[in-house]
Amino acid sequence: MTALVACAHGTRSAAGRAAVASLVSAVRAASSAPVLDAFVDVHGPYVSDVVASLSGDAVVVPLLLAPGYHVRVDITRAAAPWSSAVAPSLGPSPLLTSLLIDRLHAAGARPGDAVLLGAAGSSDDASDVSVRAAARSLSAAWGAPVPVAYGASRSPSLAAEVARLRAVTPRRVVVASYLLATGHFHRRILDAGADLVTAPLLGEGSPDPRLVELVLERFGAAHPTGRAAAYG
């Protein structure tokens, strides 16, 4: 049976690792396919080793929000020798937009606040295109413009964009955290000086069912026998 390899970035944050583990566990409980965890950076089990152990009978689902270097190069290279499929990144998706809206409400954001989407950042142009598509979707759902700012590698930076908004409006500045889990980049968002910052998409406790659905949706789309293979 084709396995689902859920491949996250990796983090030194214990809370971030626990959040990702909770998502993988929830996906495993909802799937009829074997589900293994893997990581592309920072710590193992590394995706190249996990895919090799399966001899290619796998679909790698990146637990990454945009199709940057890690998806296009690192994960693709790990999968290629074994002809394993690589599913698209999680974002953009209406499911993520819906979850971001809920995170904004939970943080206390109100109509009239200046909302921006805070992402990790990547030198890969495809990642920027994806994040900006997510921002447009959030803007449509929120009913107001939502600019993008980054923690690294791209402009504008989070701190610069927060400062720009403060200079042009008296409104509260709210950052919608476009990150899967807490860690280095969420701390960068918290330090940027916004009035409010939403929780990452994976908060404390059980993962939101929309994230589980999205991972299974990506697996089903990449699996040769289709979506039905994802579900138990």
Side-chain angles (χ1 to χ4, degrees), residues 213-232:
E213 180 182 350
L214 182 55
V215 173
L216 293 174
E217 180 182 284
R218 294 292 189 255
F219 175 70
H223 193 280
T225 58
R227 182 177 172 83
Y231 295 95

Side-chain angles (χ1 to χ4, degrees), residues 200-215:
L201 296 170
L202 277 173
E204 297 180 359
S206 300
D208 190 282
R210 285 167 289 192
L211 289 172
V212 178
E213 180 182 350
L214 182 55
V215 173

